[in-house]
């Protein structure tokens, strides 16, 4: 018998998890603290969590980890270029639901 039943589907739907992955080289610096706080509060108001990452390498590590879940990627042109170049070689990662550049 399948372990998935109506109760487990309802339970999963109630506990949807999503992240806003913000990839920008300075996103963890002190001068970005206010911006990080605002983004955290907005994302939390929609029951998500902010994941600030500094590089494309960090995105790939996170997307291959056990912590990966549905996510929106927010990045800049400098980071999206290497992301898109490496993507064809990374078949085992969770892709973003949306990407904002």
């Amino acid at each position: 018998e399948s372990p998935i039943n109506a109760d487990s589907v309802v339970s999963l739907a109630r506990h949807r998890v999503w992240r806003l992955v913000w990839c920008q080289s300075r996103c963890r610096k002190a001068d970005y603290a206010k911006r990080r706080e605002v983004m955290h509060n907005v994302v939390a108001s929609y029951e998500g969590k902010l994941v600030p990452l500094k590089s494309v390498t960090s995105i790939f590590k996170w997307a291959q980890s056990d912590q990966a879940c549905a996510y929106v990627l927010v990045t800049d042109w400098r980071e999206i270029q290497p992301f898109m170049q490496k993507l064809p070689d990374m078949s085992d990662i969770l892709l973003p639901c949306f990407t904002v550049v």
Side-chain angles (χ1 to χ4, degrees):
E1 184 174 319
S2 172
I4 298 175
N5 58 42
D7 291 335
S8 64
V9 171
V10 169
S11 177
L12 286 172
R14 286 187 185 144
H15 295 95
R16 277 185 264 177
V17 177
W18 74 279
R19 303 289 184 259
L20 183 107
V21 175
W22 178 26
C23 180
Q24 205 269 342
S25 61
R26 300 190 54 81
C27 70
R28 291 181 174 243
K29 300 287 186 186
D31 56 329
Y32 276 61
K34 184 64 177 171
R35 187 175 300 179
R36 209 171 35 251
E37 178 185 351
V38 169
M39 291 176 76
H40 166 80
N41 291 338
V42 170
V43 170
S45 73
Y46 290 96
E47 299 181 18
K49 291 188 179 179
L50 177 65
V51 179
L53 301 172
K54 296 189 320 184
S55 69
V56 170
T57 303
S58 300
I59 296 172
F60 287 123
K61 285 180 183 176
W62 180 85
Q64 291 174 318
S65 75
D66 292 340
Q67 297 176 10
C69 60
Y71 69 103
V72 174
L73 175 60
V74 176
T75 189
D76 57 22
W77 187 246
R78 182 177 176 188
E79 299 298 335
I80 199 66
Q81 288 176 326
F83 179 83
M84 296 304 290
Q85 288 170 352
K86 290 181 183 180
L87 200 53
D89 300 327
M90 306 296 288
S91 61
D92 60 338
I93 71 158
L94 182 64
L95 297 174
C97 297
F98 299 99
T99 302
V100 180
V101 179

